[in-house]
Amino acid sequence: MVGTGGPVATFSVWDYVVFAGIIVGAAGVGLFQAIRSRKETSSSEFLLGGRQMTAVPVAMSLTASFMSGITVIGTPTEAYRFGAAFWIFGFAYAIMSTITAEIFVPLFYRLGITSAYEYLEMRFSRTIRIIGTSMYIVQTALYTGLVIYAPALALNQITGLNLWGVLVATGAVCILYCTLGGLKAVIWTDVLQMVIMLAGFVAVIARGAVLQGGLTKIWEDAGRGGRLYAFDFDPDPLKRHTFWTIVVGGSVMWTSIYAINQSQVQRYISCKTLGHAKMSLYVNMVGLWITVSLAVFSGLTMYSIYKECDPFTNGDIDTHDQLLPYLVMDMLAIYPGIPGLFVAAAYSGTLSTVSSSINALVAVTVEDFILPVFKNLTERQVSWMNMGLSVFFGALCIGMAGVASLMGSVLQAALSVFGMISGPLLGLYLLGMLFRTTNSTGGLSGMIVGLALTLWVGIGGQIYPPTVEKTNPLPVSTVNCSTMSQNFTTTAPWTSPVTLTVQPEHQTSQKRLRQTFIWKLTTQLSQTLT
């Protein structure tokens, strides 16, 4: 019976067919755009879609770009363990969209830039531009490697999919349509992937509602379990989630991502008019609201089903980030192909993030490092360079995923740097935009001081992690667990059972470190990027 613990099913043949079909379909969309635009080989066409994109597909691409596989898996787990406070990020999304659309979009769009960091040279100096671009390349390469690896590990341990096979396939698909199709291929593939991600959440909620007797029952269970208490107005800045930390901190974090991160800037400056560019941000805001709402309600659905038998406490899974994949195999494996849809949803999030990163990395490398030095390159040479760099950065991201599998605390610190870097860079942009008298010396000094402060706070948070009193995990129960009972999904003729147990005490320290790291990583990313 669902919700009582024990073994769950692995992938059926139909699950593999659905998963592979959706991934191949995503690549097909990219290739179609590449063939469609084969005669338009200019650098502007490759990097900016010829600046002829419209608001709705760009908005869906903006939403998909930072809704990674970690978000698909991590946000429901967050709601399951800590409640619905994540939904308050909707306020942060509204603030971020307004600031970006009304302040940053007009600036970047009217300047006609390709790289967001061109502004730093226009306003300050060439040195500050190079520093800003270098910081972006390092943080994006590290982050993208983590985005590939973390959900792949969680899904591998539940579904039985080959870890490294999927990692390489993910990178290869992204390299294929990024190299051949450029930004148009990335945006239209993101549109498909966004639909698939939302469909995955809807499948989980719909099946949970059927099992629990309706959405009202899920809501009531969540209320009784304390999962609906979201508006905590405690001013303590050390608490994990309060209204103030989410709205204020979330607004700054998301503004730094959408306003100055090349992956996002490159999308809205590809629009054919300033009006379309602004509208893409507001439509994206609605997309973010829908995504976070479905993700949080998926977590509440998971709590309703496991309120009397927590899979982690019961030893059915090794880490909390396996909760949602475990739930999917527990309650959806009776429908061949549906678990494949969910896994495709998680990987669609990964593909959209990776492809966005590859395209953005190519843009800043060409615009900030190559063209200022080699000014006499022909359009054809630049086009070949764009494609070659797409292959290079795709391979680099796969390599970073390999590094993520071998390193623990060092890479977690690198992820923290991703958040720490964004704040000082945003401050530098605002300084240049709002204060006429600021020069390059003052801007560089301010950024260094800001970076030192954020590193001090961020590294301190890693060395001295918050206590239970500050993180406030909500209670779970195992009173109704029956690990000896057979799950209804394991009796189906098209699946085979697999027992998931906690690793024995004699496991290697490296494996234990990796599992602990991935759990912390998923939790941290879901806090930061949702």
Side-chain angles (χ1 to χ4, degrees):
M1 183 177 179
V2 175
T4 57
V8 293
T10 55
F11 256 32
S12 70
V13 173
W14 285 109
D15 292 320
Y16 284 109
V17 170
V18 170
F19 172 68
I22 290 175
I23 300 303
V24 170
V29 171
L31 290 176
F32 171 76
Q33 289 298 325
I35 295 171
R36 185 181 178 187
S37 305
R38 63 187 182 278
K39 294 182 181 179
E40 301 167 344
T41 58
S42 68
S43 182
S44 175
E45 179 70 26
F46 186 89
L47 298 177
L48 297 174
R51 298 186 191 265
Q52 292 298 311
M53 302 302 298
T54 55
V56 174
V58 170
M60 296 183 72
S61 180
L62 285 170
T63 304
S65 293
F66 275 89
M67 291 295 161
S68 67
I70 291 177
T71 303
V72 174
I73 294 173
T75 306
T77 300
E78 175 71 23
Y80 173 87
R81 297 184 62 214
F82 298 98
F86 249 49
W87 186 83
I88 302 177
F89 269 98
F91 294 102
Y93 299 149
I95 294 171
M96 169 274 295
S97 298
T98 303
I99 293 174
T100 304
E102 301 303 328
I103 297 178
F104 286 89
V105 170
L107 173 69
F108 290 144
Y109 193 87
R110 287 168 180 158
L111 286 176
I113 61 177
T114 300
S115 167
Y117 307 100
E118 290 180 54
Y119 171 77
L120 295 179
E121 182 174 1
M122 295 177 182
R123 178 61 181 84
F124 295 109
S125 67
R126 170 78 179 160
T127 301
I128 292 181
R129 176 182 179 179
I130 295 299
I131 292 173
T133 304
S134 301
M135 291 165 66
Y136 171 78
I137 290 175
V138 171
Q139 71 179 21
T140 302
L142 287 171
Y143 167 69
T144 306
L146 298 174
V147 164
I148 294 175
Y149 181 72
L153 181 63
L155 293 167
N156 159 260
Q157 293 175 335
I158 297 296
T159 63
L161 284 171
N162 181 273
L163 176 63
W164 291 105
V166 173
L167 288 178
V168 174
T170 299
V173 169
C174 289
I175 290 171
L176 181 65
Y177 66 75
C178 285
T179 301
L180 298 178
L183 185 68
K184 276 188 179 178
V186 171
I187 287 179
W188 283 108
T189 307
D190 282 350
V191 171
L192 173 64
Q193 290 159 354
M194 189 67 205
V195 172
I196 295 169
M197 278 190 279
L198 297 181
F201 285 136
V202 170
V204 169
I205 295 170
R207 177 58 176 161
V210 171
L211 290 174
Q212 297 304 98
L215 297 176
T216 303
K217 178 64 164 56
I218 292 174
W219 191 260
E220 291 172 351
D221 287 342
R224 283 191 291 268
R227 265 66 184 175
L228 298 183
Y229 178 66
F231 290 88
D232 181 359
F233 292 96
D234 188 340
D236 184 358
L238 299 179
K239 287 190 71 172
R240 188 171 189 274
H241 279 153
T242 67
F243 178 85
W244 308 113
T245 57
I246 290 177
V247 172
V248 178
S251 297
V252 172
M253 180 64 193
W254 278 102
T255 300
S256 71
I257 288 175
Y258 274 80
I260 63 171
N261 188 290
Q262 177 66 23
S263 299
Q264 306 299 70
V265 172
Q266 196 167 335
R267 272 147 189 72
Y268 54 70
I269 63 175
S270 71
C271 290
K272 58 184 180 181
T273 66
L274 179 58
H276 275 275
K278 285 187 174 184
M279 183 58 66
S280 70
L281 265 297
Y282 291 116
V283 176
N284 161 73
M285 175 182 70
V286 177
L288 290 173
W289 284 346
I290 294 172
T291 304
V292 74
S293 297
L294 289 176
V296 168
F297 204 85
S298 296
L300 299 182
T301 302
M302 183 158 54
Y303 174 75
S304 179
I305 291 174
Y306 292 132
K307 60 183 179 293
E308 295 180 347
C309 182
D310 176 51
F312 179 75
T313 308
N314 194 48
D316 297 316
I317 56 177
D318 297 331
T319 58
H320 286 101
D321 58 319
Q322 295 172 5
L323 275 166
L324 192 62
Y326 180 86
L327 172 71
V328 169
M329 299 310 299
D330 192 7
M331 70 178 188
L332 288 174
I334 194 173
Y335 302 105
I338 300 300
L341 172 66
F342 167 78
V343 174
Y347 275 106
S348 290
T350 298
L351 286 172
S352 64
T353 303
V354 174
S355 59
S356 300
S357 297
I358 291 173
N359 199 251
L361 287 168
V362 171
V364 297
T365 302
V366 171
E367 294 295 324
D368 296 337
F369 290 108
I370 296 175
L371 292 184
V373 177
F374 302 97
K375 299 180 180 180
N376 296 321
L377 293 175
T378 65
E379 197 67 58
R380 184 176 181 81
Q381 288 173 322
V382 174
S383 296
W384 280 105
M385 190 175 300
N386 288 334
M387 291 189 285
L389 285 171
S390 294
V391 175
F392 170 75
F393 281 118
L396 178 64
C397 291
I398 296 175
M400 290 310 304
V403 173
S405 70
L406 301 174
M407 300 176 67
S409 58
V410 174
L411 204 52
Q412 187 171 352
L415 174 67
S416 300
V417 171
F418 175 80
M420 298 172 207
I421 287 174
S422 299
L425 271 177
L426 177 63
L428 181 64
Y429 275 85
L430 290 173
L431 186 68
M433 293 164 61
L434 302 178
F435 298 93
R436 291 185 177 183
T437 57
T438 305
N439 57 26
S440 59
T441 303
L444 182 59
S445 301
M447 185 176 67
I448 292 173
V449 172
L451 186 61
L453 289 173
T454 55
L455 288 173
W456 173 52
V457 173
I459 294 173
Q462 297 296 319
I463 298 174
Y464 304 102
T467 60
V468 174
E469 291 76 16
K470 298 297 183 182
T471 55
N472 299 320
L474 296 171
V476 293
S477 172
T478 57
V479 297
N480 197 32
C481 287
S482 176
T483 55
M484 297 302 293
S485 67
Q486 274 258 317
N487 234 312
F488 82 94
T489 57
T490 63
T491 62
W494 50 77
T495 59
S496 58
V498 55
T499 302
L500 300 168
T501 59
V502 177
Q503 296 294 326
E505 288 301 316
H506 63 269
Q507 70 179 348
T508 65
S509 59
Q510 183 182 19
K511 190 170 185 179
R512 181 182 296 145
L513 176 64
R514 185 165 68 247
Q515 290 176 341
T516 303
F517 160 61
I518 292 300
W519 168 66
K520 290 181 178 178
L521 169 64
T522 305
T523 302
Q524 186 176 2
L525 272 178
S526 63
Q527 290 171 20
T528 305
L529 299 178
T530 307

